[in-house]
Amino acid sequence: EGGKKGQDLAGLSDMGGIKFFHVSMDKCEGALELLEVAMEGMNREVEEGADDRKGGAGQLGKMLLSASTEQVAAILHIPEALTSTLSIDAWIEAVLTPLKGEVVDKTPTSAKVVIKGDPAAERFPLKLRDEAINLGFSMLRTKKLVPEEDSDDDWDMGAMNEDNVRLLSVLAGLWV
């Protein structure tokens, strides 16, 4: 799942200049370990001449989010070259702290966070994941890291990011 989505993100970035993304990873089922594998797939170099291109998104900032029935797992990656634009701490503070995310591991360029669900308090992981994506997109828009909606471009790259690359997948005839 990570390698293919890495190619999607690289394409979106090439078309619209967006450098930061929030990506829903459905097949990872809320597991940090599976998100790590997906992130590795996204960040790996693309093999020249390969029939099935994968990866190529290592130069982009990404927050991968996956929900299970118990929790939301999130892994963040910001390449060194982009840390002056947005720090790991600022991203966590804007997106995951309001949702009571627990930082499991953190470096200046990456982080792992878990948000526990609580059905009794109406904190459902799928809703928390979507709320995290919305908080993240709002933060990116406030920091002018995604284009404004009133752009004259044929493609609304901000809306594509907000919809977690699913729009691109649907346009390509693939459901992610």
Side-chain angles (χ1 to χ4, degrees), residues 102-117:
E102 176 188 332
V103 177
V104 176
D105 186 33
K106 184 177 74 161
T107 71
T109 60
S110 67
K112 298 175 188 172
V113 180
V114 172
I115 305 168
K116 295 291 184 188

Side-chain angles (χ1 to χ4, degrees), residues 5 13 23 33 52 80 83 89 117 122-123 139 161 168:
K5 285 194 178 186
S13 180
V23 183
E33 301 80 21
D52 191 20
E80 187 73 37
T83 56
D89 289 330
E122 296 192 23
R123 289 177 43 88
M139 182 268 304
N161 187 38
L168 182 63

Side-chain angles (χ1 to χ4, degrees), residues 4-160:
K4 286 287 197 184
K5 285 194 178 186
Q7 271 294 289
D8 292 344
L9 296 180
L12 284 171
S13 180
D14 289 345
M15 289 190 305
I18 298 172
K19 300 292 181 203
F20 294 91
F21 294 88
H22 298 90
V23 183
S24 176
M25 303 298 288
D26 299 327
K27 294 180 182 176
C28 294
E29 299 178 351
L32 284 171
E33 301 80 21
L34 295 177
L35 282 176
E36 286 181 78
V37 172
M39 184 68 79
E40 289 171 12
M42 285 184 175
N43 287 344
R44 83 171 150 208
E45 294 292 322
V46 177
E47 288 183 37
E48 291 299 319
D51 290 337
D52 191 20
R53 297 176 60 86
K54 295 180 180 178
Q59 78 284 5
L60 304 172
K62 299 169 289 301
M63 179 184 295
L64 307 185
L65 298 119
S66 181
S68 68
T69 56
E70 292 84 33
Q71 70 179 19
V72 176
I75 293 190
L76 295 78
H77 167 258
I78 301 177
E80 187 73 37
L82 295 177
T83 56
S84 62
T85 304
L86 179 64
S87 71
I88 286 288
D89 289 330
W91 211 349
I92 290 171
E93 184 68 28
V95 178
L96 302 170
T97 300
L99 301 175
K100 302 178 183 174
E102 176 188 332
V103 177
V104 176
D105 186 33
K106 184 177 74 161
T107 71
T109 60
S110 67
K112 298 175 188 172
V113 180
V114 172
I115 305 168
K116 295 291 184 188
D118 182 1
E122 296 192 23
R123 289 177 43 88
F124 301 101
L126 285 175
K127 289 179 83 173
L128 291 168
R129 181 201 63 198
D130 292 345
E131 191 172 344
I133 291 167
N134 289 333
L135 285 168
F137 183 76
S138 294
M139 182 268 304
L140 293 176
R141 172 129 316 148
T142 300
K143 291 184 173 288
K144 300 190 183 316
L145 297 175
V146 293
E148 291 296 321
E149 285 187 45
D150 60 1
S151 171
D152 292 341
D153 294 342
D154 290 337
W155 292 83
D156 183 357
M157 301 310 292
M160 282 183 160

